Amino acid sequence: MTYGTLAAQNNAGTEAKPFEHLDVSVSAGSTGVGLELGSNISNNVKLRVGFSTMPRWTDDMKFGVQVGDTPESKYDANGNRVETKFDRLQKRMKELTGFDVDEVIHMEAKPKFYNFQLLVDIMPFANKHWHLTGGFYWGNSTLADAVVSRDDMTTMLAVGMYNNMYGKAMNQEPFVTVNGVDVYNDDLSEKLTRYGRMKYRIGEMKETGEPCYAEPDENGIIKAEAVVNNFKPYLGFGYDGRLGKEDGGWKIGFDAGMLFYGGKPHVYTMRTVEQTTTDPVSGATQYSFTRERVDLARDVTNYRPNIKGKMNLIKAMVVFPVLNVKITKTLF
């Protein structure tokens, strides 16, 4: 039975039996690409179940390295290129590690959004074209993540090696022990402590105003994740109409609405916190650092320009807008 025949019967007052007919739809839009099955459970109510996933694409973000606590300018007041602390350290790192340390790293942000959905359409008008929709999406909690690009892995390795040596230099510990012999160099240690720790500034902590830094973890990577609720209620509306003049059971339509995923997403990463403590008896100082999880969307402000626009967009997305176009075929 064709869609036109079915509509004519329903408009004439014939009550449709639940699950008597089945539609299959393919969709594309803000929730990704999807596949959906739908069936009328009465003349004015339709049940839909489906799955959608976001295609993988990459958005590049750049971060400049910082040595110590004070960002350095590469140009003087007259616009002339000047040598910075990082330039000098870059040469030293090449000697120590054999790796080139890039002053800018690239983080690749990729969507990882997929959901199953259960939706109920209510068709308030006689022609059955327009519908109001309620239901929910259920899927993964990771909206997107960002990881240092593969091309910058050698830089991450070199930065991690440098920071390990820096911590040893701050505590006047041997850089390495070979056959029971401690290897230490006063000149190198003095230069490392003068340079400072190598890290990447993200912004400032909202409560304290202190800088928020990230650096490679024990696996040699920097990573951030945008996280939302698994369960996401949906409210919206849509339209379905016949595709073309010939009635072959084909329809085209759209869905528009909002996914409520628990307010603005959490954006988690690990920040580095440095501490120096002094023994009250001996007066000796001890340097240490910790890594703690921070929510960039709630705990950090004054973002670096390279991520400011993206973070402000994420913070504004207290709901997820849905706009999908779909093509539907009535199977029976």
Side-chain angles (χ1 to χ4, degrees):
M1 182 179 295
T2 66
Y3 171 74
T5 305
L6 176 62
Q9 289 183 349
N10 289 344
N11 290 340
T14 302
E15 184 66 28
K17 297 180 180 179
F19 309 111
E20 184 178 10
H21 303 280
L22 181 66
D23 294 339
V24 60
S25 302
V26 292
S27 63
S30 61
T31 59
V33 294
L35 182 66
E36 192 176 74
L37 296 175
S39 184
N40 285 71
I41 57 178
S42 73
N43 281 357
N44 298 92
V45 180
K46 184 176 182 179
L47 179 68
R48 292 188 279 152
V49 294
F51 175 81
S52 59
T53 182
M54 190 73 71
R56 296 297 176 89
W57 49 272
T58 300
D59 186 18
D60 183 67
M61 297 183 293
K62 298 178 182 179
F63 289 84
V65 69
Q66 181 173 318
V67 182
D69 296 326
T70 305
E72 295 181 88
S73 174
K74 289 184 172 295
Y75 300 91
D76 61 20
N78 297 320
N80 300 315
R81 181 69 161 83
V82 296
E83 186 181 50
T84 67
K85 186 190 298 184
F86 173 76
D87 293 329
R88 296 188 293 272
L89 183 57
Q90 189 178 42
K91 299 174 185 176
R92 176 69 67 174
M93 289 299 297
K94 180 67 173 180
E95 296 173 0
L96 293 173
T97 69
F99 295 113
D100 291 317
V101 181
D102 295 329
E103 61 180 311
V104 174
I105 63 167
H106 299 258
M107 291 191 69
E108 297 177 341
K110 299 179 181 180
K112 292 193 172 181
F113 203 42
Y114 62 84
N115 290 280
F116 295 92
Q117 66 251 30
L118 188 150
L119 305 173
V120 177
D121 296 333
I122 297 176
M123 294 164 280
F125 304 117
N127 62 18
K128 306 297 191 296
H129 291 321
W130 291 93
H131 55 264
L132 303 175
T133 304
F136 66 86
Y137 283 57
W138 178 274
N140 68 326
S141 60
T142 303
L143 182 64
D145 67 10
V147 182
V148 174
S149 69
R150 183 175 301 177
D151 292 340
D152 287 320
M153 286 302 177
T154 53
T155 293
M156 293 292 95
L157 178 61
V159 171
M161 293 173 66
Y162 168 84
N163 285 338
N164 182 57
M165 295 177 66
Y166 171 77
K168 293 179 181 296
M170 287 289 291
N171 291 323
Q172 298 181 343
E173 298 174 354
F175 294 123
V176 65
T177 300
V178 181
N179 295 327
V181 179
D182 293 339
V183 178
Y184 187 79
N185 184 288
D186 288 325
D187 179 63
L188 176 59
S189 179
E190 188 275 332
K191 288 182 178 179
L192 291 177
T193 55
R194 181 157 39 89
Y195 285 146
R197 195 173 187 88
M198 191 177 292
K199 49 208 171 182
Y200 299 89
R201 183 164 179 163
I202 301 172
E204 296 177 358
M205 298 302 296
K206 187 177 295 184
E207 290 189 359
T208 64
E210 63 182 303
C212 179
Y213 296 110
E215 64 177 71
D217 61 15
E218 61 274 9
N219 297 313
I221 63 172
I222 299 175
K223 183 177 181 179
E225 285 187 322
V227 178
V228 297
N229 291 343
N230 298 95
F231 180 77
K232 312 166 188 76
Y234 173 80
L235 288 175
F237 67 96
Y239 177 88
D240 285 300
R242 191 170 64 184
L243 182 61
K245 295 181 179 181
E246 297 295 328
D247 185 5
W250 289 95
K251 292 171 280 185
I252 187 171
F254 72 88
D255 284 299
M258 294 291 179
L259 275 179
F260 300 88
Y261 51 24
K264 61 185 176 183
H266 299 272
V267 183
Y268 293 120
T269 192
M270 303 298 292
R271 78 172 183 125
T272 299
V273 182
E274 298 180 84
Q275 301 105 7
T276 301
T277 57
T278 303
D279 188 285
V281 178
S282 65
T285 60
Q286 179 71 27
Y287 170 82
S288 63
F289 75 95
T290 58
R291 292 191 180 97
E292 61 183 34
R293 191 169 80 159
V294 61
D295 185 348
L296 300 182
R298 289 168 172 78
D299 304 331
V300 179
T301 186
N302 293 333
Y303 305 105
R304 296 301 294 269
N306 53 316
I307 64 167
K308 184 176 181 179
K310 296 180 176 64
M311 287 304 307
N312 287 339
L313 175 62
I314 290 175
K315 291 167 68 173
M317 292 177 61
V318 293
V319 294
F320 188 85
V322 174
L323 180 58
N324 294 328
V325 177
K326 62 181 181 179
I327 295 178
T328 303
K329 170 66 176 178
T330 300
L331 301 180
F332 59 86

Coordinates of all heavy atoms in Angstrom, one line a residue, residues 3 19 32 59 76 122 127 130 198 203 217 226 244-245 252 257 262 272 283 292 298 310 312 323 326 332:
Y3 N 2.0 5.3 0.4 CA 1.8 6.4 1.4 C 0.6 7.2 1.1 O -0.2 7.5 2.0 CB 3.1 7.2 1.4 CG 2.9 8.5 2.2 CD1 3.0 8.4 3.6 CD2 2.8 9.7 1.6 CE1 2.8 9.5 4.4 CE2 2.6 10.9 2.4 CZ 2.7 10.7 3.8 OH 2.5 11.9 4.6
F19 N 1.7 -0.6 14.4 CA 2.8 -1.3 13.7 C 2.4 -2.0 12.4 O 3.0 -3.0 12.0 CB 3.5 -2.2 14.7 CG 3.9 -1.6 16.0 CD1 3.2 -2.0 17.2 CD2 4.9 -0.6 16.0 CE1 3.6 -1.4 18.4 CE2 5.2 -0.1 17.3 CZ 4.6 -0.4 18.4
G32 N 24.8 14.2 13.1 CA 25.6 13.3 12.3 C 24.7 12.6 11.2 O 23.7 13.2 10.7
D59 N 39.6 19.4 13.7 CA 39.7 20.8 13.8 C 41.0 21.1 14.5 O 41.3 20.6 15.6 CB 38.6 21.4 14.6 CG 38.6 22.9 14.7 OD1 39.3 23.5 13.8 OD2 38.0 23.5 15.6
D76 N 61.1 43.0 19.2 CA 61.3 44.2 20.0 C 60.3 45.3 19.6 O 59.5 45.1 18.7 CB 62.7 44.7 20.0 CG 63.2 45.1 18.6 OD1 62.3 45.4 17.8 OD2 64.4 45.2 18.4
I122 N 3.7 13.3 17.4 CA 2.3 13.6 17.4 C 2.0 14.5 16.3 O 2.5 15.6 16.1 CB 1.9 14.2 18.8 CG1 2.2 13.3 19.9 CG2 0.4 14.6 18.7 CD1 1.9 13.9 21.3
N127 N -3.5 16.7 7.5 CA -2.7 16.2 6.4 C -1.5 15.4 6.9 O -0.8 14.8 6.1 CB -2.2 17.4 5.6 CG -1.3 18.3 6.3 OD1 -0.8 18.1 7.4 ND2 -1.2 19.5 5.8
W130 N 3.0 17.8 9.4 CA 3.7 18.4 10.5 C 3.6 17.5 11.7 O 2.6 16.9 11.9 CB 3.2 19.8 10.8 CG 3.6 20.8 9.7 CD1 2.8 21.1 8.7 CD2 4.8 21.5 9.6 NE1 3.4 22.1 7.9 CE2 4.6 22.3 8.4 CE3 5.9 21.6 10.3 CZ2 5.6 23.2 8.0 CZ3 6.9 22.4 9.9 CH2 6.8 23.2 8.7
M198 N 59.0 23.8 31.3 CA 58.5 24.0 29.9 C 57.0 23.5 29.9 O 56.7 22.4 30.3 CB 59.3 23.3 28.9 CG 59.0 23.6 27.5 SD 60.0 22.8 26.3 CE 61.6 23.5 26.6
G203 N 45.0 29.3 30.0 CA 44.3 30.5 30.5 C 44.6 30.8 32.0 O 45.8 30.5 32.4
D217 N 51.8 14.3 29.7 CA 51.6 13.4 30.9 C 52.6 12.2 30.8 O 53.6 12.3 30.0 CB 50.2 12.8 30.9 CG 49.8 12.0 29.7 OD1 50.7 11.6 28.9 OD2 48.6 11.7 29.5
A226 N 35.5 16.9 25.9 CA 34.2 17.5 26.2 C 33.2 16.5 26.5 O 33.0 15.6 25.7 CB 33.8 18.3 24.9
G244 N 8.5 14.2 -4.8 CA 8.1 14.1 -6.2 C 6.6 13.9 -6.4 O 5.9 13.7 -5.4
K245 N 6.2 14.0 -7.6 CA 4.8 14.0 -7.9 C 4.3 12.5 -7.9 O 3.1 12.3 -7.6 CB 4.5 14.6 -9.3 CG 4.8 16.1 -9.4 CD 4.5 16.6 -10.7 CE 4.8 18.1 -10.8 NZ 4.5 18.7 -12.1
I252 N 10.3 13.2 2.0 CA 11.5 14.0 2.4 C 11.0 14.9 3.5 O 9.8 15.3 3.5 CB 12.1 14.8 1.2 CG1 13.4 15.5 1.7 CG2 11.1 15.8 0.7 CD1 14.1 16.1 0.5
G257 N 15.0 20.8 16.6 CA 14.7 20.8 18.1 C 15.9 21.0 18.9 O 17.0 21.4 18.4
G262 N 22.3 18.3 29.9 CA 22.8 18.6 31.2 C 23.5 19.9 31.4 O 24.4 20.1 32.2
T272 N 49.1 21.3 35.3 CA 50.3 21.1 36.2 C 50.3 22.2 37.3 O 50.1 23.4 37.0 CB 51.6 21.2 35.3 OG1 51.6 20.2 34.3 CG2 52.8 21.1 36.2
G283 N 65.9 24.2 56.6 CA 65.8 25.3 55.7 C 66.0 24.8 54.2 O 66.0 25.7 53.3
E292 N 46.4 17.8 38.2 CA 45.0 17.7 38.6 C 44.1 18.0 37.5 O 44.4 18.8 36.6 CB 44.8 18.6 39.8 CG 45.0 20.1 39.5 CD 44.8 20.9 40.8 OE1 45.1 20.5 41.9 OE2 44.3 22.1 40.6
R298 N 34.4 25.6 33.2 CA 33.9 26.1 34.5 C 35.0 26.7 35.4 O 34.7 27.6 36.1 CB 33.1 25.0 35.2 CG 31.8 24.6 34.6 CD 31.2 23.4 35.2 NE 29.9 23.1 34.7 CZ 29.6 22.6 33.5 NH1 30.6 22.3 32.7 NH2 28.4 22.4 33.1
K310 N 36.6 28.9 20.5 CA 36.0 27.5 20.6 C 35.5 27.3 22.0 O 34.4 26.7 22.2 CB 37.1 26.5 20.3 CG 37.6 26.5 18.9 CD 38.6 25.5 18.6 CE 39.1 25.4 17.1 NZ 39.7 26.7 16.7
N312 N 34.4 29.6 24.2 CA 33.2 30.5 24.3 C 32.0 29.8 23.6 O 30.8 29.9 24.1 CB 33.4 31.9 23.8 CG 34.3 32.7 24.7 OD1 34.5 32.4 25.9 ND2 34.9 33.7 24.1
L323 N 19.1 19.8 13.9 CA 18.5 20.1 12.6 C 19.0 19.1 11.6 O 20.2 19.0 11.2 CB 18.9 21.5 12.1 CG 18.4 21.9 10.7 CD1 16.8 21.9 10.8 CD2 18.8 23.3 10.3
K326 N 16.0 14.4 6.3 CA 15.9 12.9 6.1 C 15.1 12.5 4.9 O 14.2 13.3 4.5 CB 15.2 12.3 7.4 CG 13.8 12.8 7.6 CD 13.3 12.1 8.9 CE 11.8 12.6 9.2 NZ 11.3 12.0 10.4
F332 N 6.2 -1.1 3.9 CA 4.9 -1.8 3.8 C 3.9 -1.1 4.7 O 4.2 -0.3 5.6 CB 4.9 -3.3 4.2 CG 5.4 -3.5 5.6 CD1 4.6 -3.6 6.7 CD2 6.8 -3.8 5.8 CE1 5.0 -3.8 7.9 CE2 7.2 -4.1 7.1 CZ 6.3 -4.1 8.2

